[in-house]
Amino acid sequence: MNYKIRSIRADEWAAAKELRLIALRDPVAHLAFLETYETAAARPDSFWQERAVGAAEGAGGAQQIIAEGPDGEWVGTLTVLLEEAGTTDWAGFDVEQRQGHIVAVFVQPEFRGIGLTEVLFDAGLEWAWAQDAERVRLIVHEENGRAQRFYRKAGFEPTGVIVPLPQAQGENELEFALERE
């Protein structure tokens, strides 16, 4: 595999924005992301700059990791957020232990099936464990079977936590987690 797996740099906000917008145009984006293309495209550059700074190499609260092709093109990404025990997460649930939360997983369709998602996950888990996370979790739409199969293959198991989606009445997301060994 001739791809570089690395954390983004703060000055790469425009490339991070471009890849996010590509992800939000994916046919299953409505199952994979809580944000729409229209909402993301309307955000000012300052939003993308702040987001990149907060998840760049050396940041302590989050890390955006990318798969960079031999030509420099970003073809995949995921972000790991660090959640502290005693806080409340985005869905209103209490965070009981220091944990990583994987979000924004995306590999461009023409690069799927060659192992990039696996190495992105390995890098994300490595970062979370280095931050002393006790577990790493993710939330996946109940109808996103492809993602659920991958997460199980990567060692994540359903926890039984169900997260109702307020923007989609009657739809839920499921928490999967991987405990630190």
Side-chain angles (χ1 to χ4, degrees):
M1 185 180 308
N2 206 11
Y3 295 86
K4 181 188 271 186
I5 306 301
R6 65 174 180 85
S7 296
I8 67 166
R9 294 184 302 273
D11 65 350
E12 294 178 312
W13 66 269
K17 174 185 176 181
E18 179 182 348
L19 189 57
R20 177 66 172 181
L21 293 177
I22 291 168
L24 292 171
R25 282 189 227 115
D26 190 89
V28 296
H30 68 286
L31 292 179
F33 306 112
L34 297 177
E35 178 179 45
T36 65
Y37 173 85
E38 294 74 21
T39 300
R43 295 188 187 279
D45 287 348
S46 60
F47 169 85
W48 299 101
Q49 292 163 349
E50 290 172 27
R51 187 172 176 161
V53 166
E57 183 176 43
Q63 200 74 182
Q64 182 177 357
I65 300 166
I66 55 124
E68 183 177 17
D71 60 357
E73 178 185 12
W74 291 12
V75 300
T77 187
L78 65 70
T79 298
V80 184
L81 310 174
L82 196 58
E83 299 174 328
E84 297 294 343
T87 62
T88 303
D89 71 9
W90 64 272
F93 291 93
D94 292 333
V95 176
E96 297 177 2
Q97 58 192 353
R98 186 178 177 92
Q99 62 190 14
H101 184 164
I102 295 177
V103 298
V105 178
F106 177 72
V107 173
Q108 293 194 46
E110 60 272 27
F111 298 95
R112 293 177 185 159
I114 62 171
L116 289 176
T117 309
E118 289 86 343
V119 293
L120 284 166
F121 262 73
D122 288 347
L125 290 170
E126 182 179 316
W127 182 84
W129 302 143
Q131 307 309 306
D132 296 322
E134 296 174 45
R135 76 176 192 150
V136 175
R137 71 175 185 147
L138 51 84
I139 309 292
V140 60
H141 195 282
E142 63 190 349
E143 294 179 15
N144 194 342
R146 184 184 79 195
Q148 289 182 41
R149 284 187 297 280
F150 173 80
Y151 300 147
R152 286 178 190 271
K153 184 179 167 187
F156 288 78
E157 294 293 332
T159 65
V161 173
I162 297 172
V163 182
L165 288 173
Q167 71 273 28
Q169 191 69 25
E171 293 184 29
N172 296 304
E173 293 200 320
L174 311 173
E175 181 187 66
F176 280 56
L178 177 64
E179 301 293 328
R180 187 176 190 137
E181 294 179 1

